[in-house]
Amino acid sequence: MVRRNQLFLAVLLVSSLALTAAPRAHLVTFGPWLKVHLFVGPDADDVQDMKIRSLNLDGRSREFTVGEPHDITDKVFVVRRAYRMNDAPTNQPEWKWQRDNWLLVDRSNGRVSRLNLPDFDPFYSVVSWFRDYAAYCGVTEEQKLYAVVAQLGQRKPVLPSYIGPAKSGDEPDSECATPIWQKESVRVTFAPTGGQKLSFTVHGRRGEPESADRL
């Protein structure tokens, strides 16, 4: 009888340890689309319509997002963040919606983290994703425009190629068109506003400009 009780306790202990070690499943979903106002212009007085929706973790809202997500793997995706900023100089809040950087979401552990894309400008930069590469036109603090390819997990960009001075217009996404990826030989083409197209071939952690006859 004692031996049987010991065996029962051992089985119970192993089962308890297995349950404790098992990772907790998380449910990541999006809420319904909502139409809000995006305030742009030098004084944030120009209003444009923008659709947002909540990013929910286990039934609770974690962030607000804009645009469609991009799957990096079957467990990890990226999506752009939206937020409300208080634009009032007084104690009475005046909330205005703005677009922000990108979020990295891990479905397996429910982790939501913000990406730090080099020289990404929330007002001007338009990101085009391919695999774990992000291509966009970045704007530096010195108002210089760069063609940028960043890879997730890498601190330095795969490609930082100087284009010229930033135009600093009043319209969002006005520095460049959305970059275009091509899967074969992994190349990406940038189209700066009012400038010539630039194409680059991406090799792992580096990018190289292509010859003019291929543009």
Side-chain angles (χ1 to χ4, degrees):
M1 177 64 71
V2 174
R3 185 175 181 182
R4 184 178 300 176
N5 289 339
Q6 290 176 341
L7 180 61
F8 173 76
L9 290 175
V11 172
L12 184 63
L13 178 61
V14 171
S15 301
S16 177
L17 290 175
L19 290 174
T20 303
R24 178 190 173 191
H26 292 274
L27 179 63
V28 179
T29 60
F30 288 96
W33 289 106
L34 303 172
K35 187 168 72 171
V36 299
H37 293 313
L38 173 66
F39 291 85
V40 299
D43 299 318
D45 52 359
D46 184 15
V47 179
Q48 298 181 9
D49 288 338
M50 180 174 68
K51 287 186 176 181
I52 63 168
R53 56 180 175 171
S54 61
L55 172 66
N56 305 321
L57 177 62
D58 298 332
R60 295 185 177 183
S61 177
R62 283 290 305 273
E63 298 280 1
F64 283 98
T65 66
V66 56
E68 295 293 337
H70 168 74
D71 288 322
I72 304 296
T73 68
D74 59 337
K75 296 181 180 180
V76 177
F77 69 89
V78 291
V79 66
R80 192 169 182 184
R81 179 176 180 264
Y83 68 100
R84 291 191 304 168
M85 175 182 289
N86 183 12
D87 195 44
T90 64
N91 293 330
Q92 185 66 30
E94 184 180 346
W95 301 109
K96 292 186 177 181
W97 283 99
Q98 298 291 327
R99 301 177 303 172
D100 199 12
N101 214 313
W102 287 73
L103 300 170
L104 181 68
V105 184
D106 192 327
R107 296 185 179 94
S108 62
N109 56 24
R111 182 176 299 171
V112 179
S113 54
R114 298 186 188 182
L115 294 179
N116 183 22
L117 298 177
D119 293 328
F120 176 86
D121 188 287
F123 192 80
Y124 293 115
S125 299
V126 184
V127 176
S128 177
W129 289 92
F130 175 68
R131 297 175 182 167
D132 59 345
Y133 294 108
Y136 56 94
C137 285
V139 181
T140 67
E141 293 181 356
E142 297 79 16
Q143 295 301 299
K144 295 180 179 180
L145 188 67
Y146 281 82
V148 180
V149 175
Q151 186 178 23
L152 296 185
Q154 303 299 321
R155 297 182 63 181
K156 294 183 178 180
V158 174
L159 170 74
S161 182
Y162 178 66
I163 295 177
K167 300 183 183 304
S168 303
D170 294 338
E171 291 298 318
D173 310 333
S174 58
E175 291 289 349
C176 295
T178 305
I180 298 176
W181 284 98
Q182 289 182 272
K183 185 175 181 179
E184 294 185 5
S185 73
V186 188
R187 58 196 298 256
V188 59
T189 301
F190 295 83
T193 301
Q196 295 182 345
K197 292 184 178 180
L198 306 169
S199 289
F200 302 87
T201 302
V202 178
H203 304 280
R205 298 181 182 178
R206 59 188 177 90
E208 297 177 350
E210 294 193 344
S211 58
D213 59 351
R214 291 196 58 182
L215 300 184

